[in-house]
Amino acid sequence: KPVTAGESLLALYSPKLVSGQEEYLSARRLGIPTLIAASRRRLELWGVPADQITLVEQTGQSQHTLLLRAPRGGEIAEKMVTEGQAVHAGDNLFLIADRSVLWADVAVFEMDARAVRIGTPVSLTVQSQPGRSWPGRVTFIQPMVDPQSRTLTARVEVQNRDGLLRPGVYALATLAAGATSALSSPAQAVLP
């Protein structure tokens, strides 16, 4: 399921968050600026969004649930929580994958390895999208050749804004012919 940054994912109940909000409201009633700032900062450190803190300020009441929002846009690749489940600090609840930029590992034959450099332009095509290609650039080159396949792995960063390129598919990569430097001299200059 696609989500946008800031979209609500779930509502979470925590007695500590409720007591933290009550502490913040008490500090506001007392009117001590340092106490207000410290209790507000505690809520911020717990990840309570600014709009929810504003809601507590406006209503004068603590909220029993905290809305957890997506930190970035993408697709929910994995959901690791169910309704009513108890969670602990540090638990991963969702895996959100941003597939607008993908990496492709390209196997380059050993004899062609010298033509591949960081920044080399690449064009990827896949069988499921005939006539379509995705431009990319080499961003990393493994330092060693694979001893069994005798290939060098180059990582290519590919823009995938429309989301049609899927992770895990096999692709054909065409690397732009790089200019290689070589020593040359006119035939007349070579002495027999």
Side-chain angles (χ1 to χ4, degrees):
K1 173 189 177 217
V3 294
T4 57
E7 183 177 339
S8 295
L9 297 173
L10 60 91
L12 182 71
Y13 170 76
S14 169
K16 286 185 179 181
L17 288 174
V18 173
S19 66
Q21 292 174 65
E22 290 294 337
E23 178 185 307
Y24 178 58
L25 289 170
S26 295
R28 286 177 53 85
R29 281 191 288 274
L30 291 172
I32 303 171
T34 55
L35 189 58
I36 294 170
S39 57
R40 182 183 177 93
R41 181 71 180 139
R42 180 176 300 154
L43 291 175
E44 291 169 349
L45 290 173
W46 279 342
V48 178
D51 65 330
Q52 286 189 275
I53 295 173
T54 302
L55 181 63
V56 170
E57 293 169 354
Q58 291 172 346
T59 63
Q61 295 181 341
S62 60
Q63 303 300 308
H64 292 282
T65 58
L66 169 69
L67 291 178
L68 290 184
R69 297 191 172 113
R72 67 178 155 279
E75 292 181 28
I76 296 178
E78 193 174 346
K79 179 181 169 188
M80 297 160 272
V81 64
T82 58
E83 187 174 346
Q85 177 181 339
V87 296
H88 299 90
D91 285 353
N92 290 324
L93 307 179
F94 294 91
L95 174 62
I96 299 174
D98 178 8
R99 295 185 177 146
S100 62
V101 177
L102 296 178
W103 287 348
D105 285 339
V106 176
V108 180
F109 291 116
E110 186 176 12
M111 64 187 155
D112 298 327
R114 66 180 225 169
V116 179
R117 305 259 185 271
I118 302 294
T120 300
V122 178
S123 176
L124 291 181
T125 58
V126 295
Q127 287 183 348
S128 63
Q129 300 285 330
R132 176 77 196 272
S133 67
W134 286 265
R137 293 208 173 275
V138 173
T139 58
F140 177 76
I141 302 170
Q142 287 285 343
M144 295 182 58
V145 172
D146 183 296
Q148 293 181 330
S149 66
R150 304 307 303 167
T151 59
L152 183 69
T153 302
R155 180 180 301 145
V156 175
E157 188 173 283
V158 181
Q159 296 296 319
N160 185 36
R161 289 186 185 92
D162 57 10
L164 293 177
L165 191 60
R166 296 304 217 169
V169 299
Y170 283 98
L172 177 64
T174 306
L175 280 72
T180 57
S181 57
L183 179 63
S184 61
S185 64
Q188 303 89 328
V190 178
L191 298 174

